[in-house]
């Protein structure tokens, strides 16, 4: 039987798999792979039959300082909702694009980034990543139409609470496609 010669690519593959076994290297590798997805994937508006209308409601949340507040949904302002976590590689990969979108549209659109983590953990993460985003801890059951099993899951709701965009997984939220949808609804 002829022996197969080990090639350089075989060694690289083995090293790559080995690095994935260690938490210290696994997360940065997963974030990098998800950044590739962010570079090539931009969410688009849902087809009409896929759009879900939510009744207007107030999302009860606490900010990272523990202050209880309510964020109006479907009550006259477009809303960007993100369910995410600091330990989630796809979340980490897409947050810079959400930061850019927030910087451009934050005055005209309500941004609501929701996590169930400890506020101190989130504060440290945001500081380390130099992110300035409105992050909250939910204080109510997630509405059924916004319930997802994976993170990140992000939604864009129009002024009346209709889900116009829903995306699970890392995406480029600062794309021309997303801005086009937002601009269309801001003009209405």
């Amino acid at each position: 039987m002829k022996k197969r010669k080990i090639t350089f690519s075989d060694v690289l593959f083995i090293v790559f798999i080995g690095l994935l076994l260690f938490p210290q290297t696994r997360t940065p590798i997963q974030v990098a792979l998800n950044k590739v997805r962010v570079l090539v994937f931009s969410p688009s508006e849902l087809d009409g039959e896929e759009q879900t209308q939510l009744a207007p409601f107030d999302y009860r949340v606490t900010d990272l300082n523990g202050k209880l507040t309510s964020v109006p949904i479907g009550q006259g302002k477009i809303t960007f909702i993100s369910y995410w976590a600091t330990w989630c590689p796809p979340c980490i990969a897409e947050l810079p694009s959400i930061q850019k979108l927030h910087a451009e549209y934050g005055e005209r659109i309500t941004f609501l980034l929701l996590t169930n983590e400890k506020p101190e953990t989130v504060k440290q993460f945001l500081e380390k990543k130099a992110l300035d985003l409105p992050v909250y801890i939910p204080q109510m059951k997630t509405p059924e139409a916004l319930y997802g099993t994976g993170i990140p899951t992000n939604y864009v709701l129009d002024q009346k609470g209709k889900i116009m965009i829903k995306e699970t997984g890392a995406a480029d939220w600062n794309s021309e496609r997303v801005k086009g949808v937002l601009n269309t609804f801001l003009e209405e």
Side-chain angles (χ1 to χ4, degrees):
M1 178 177 214
K2 188 175 180 183
K3 287 189 174 183
R4 184 178 176 285
K5 185 176 180 182
I6 295 177
T7 66
F8 181 70
S9 61
D10 293 335
V11 172
L12 281 179
F13 180 74
I14 292 168
V15 169
F16 178 76
I17 296 300
L19 290 172
L20 288 176
L21 296 175
F22 299 98
Q24 297 85 352
T25 54
R26 178 177 46 238
T27 299
I29 290 171
Q30 290 173 323
V31 169
L33 293 173
N34 277 285
K35 282 186 179 184
V36 172
R37 184 175 195 270
V38 168
L39 290 174
V40 298
F41 184 74
S42 173
S44 58
E45 187 174 350
L46 295 170
D47 293 331
E49 66 273 359
E50 295 177 314
Q51 297 173 358
T52 303
Q53 179 67 53
L54 277 72
F57 71 100
D58 290 328
Y59 215 129
R60 290 186 319 277
V61 296
T62 54
D63 66 17
L64 295 179
N65 295 316
K67 180 182 175 193
L68 183 63
T69 189
S70 292
V71 178
I73 308 294
Q75 300 176 46
K77 200 167 181 184
I78 295 171
T79 308
F80 178 94
I81 300 174
S82 179
Y83 296 93
W84 71 288
T86 62
W87 49 262
C88 162
C91 302
I92 296 167
E94 76 175 6
L95 281 172
S97 72
I98 294 173
Q99 175 70 55
K100 289 175 185 171
L101 190 69
H102 178 259
E104 186 171 340
Y105 289 89
E107 296 297 318
R108 299 176 286 163
I109 294 172
T110 299
F111 281 78
L112 187 61
L113 282 77
L114 300 167
T115 183
N116 287 313
E117 295 179 272
K118 293 180 181 178
E120 286 307 313
T121 301
V122 177
K123 285 180 187 180
Q124 289 173 2
F125 173 85
L126 294 173
E127 185 177 314
K128 179 181 176 186
K129 299 291 184 182
L131 297 169
D132 181 25
L133 292 164
V135 177
Y136 300 93
I137 313 298
Q139 298 301 311
M140 60 181 273
K141 184 178 176 188
T142 302
E144 189 174 324
L146 298 176
Y147 183 80
T149 56
I151 56 172
T153 299
N154 301 300
Y155 300 87
V156 174
L157 289 74
D158 72 5
Q159 293 91 331
K160 296 178 182 174
K162 184 183 284 184
I163 300 173
M164 305 310 294
I165 298 175
K166 175 187 178 186
E167 191 60 50
T168 300
D172 180 7
W173 289 98
N174 193 43
S175 69
E176 293 305 315
R177 182 184 298 171
V178 171
K179 291 178 184 182
V181 172
L182 295 176
N183 291 335
T184 298
F185 287 102
L186 285 169
E187 292 170 2
E188 293 180 357

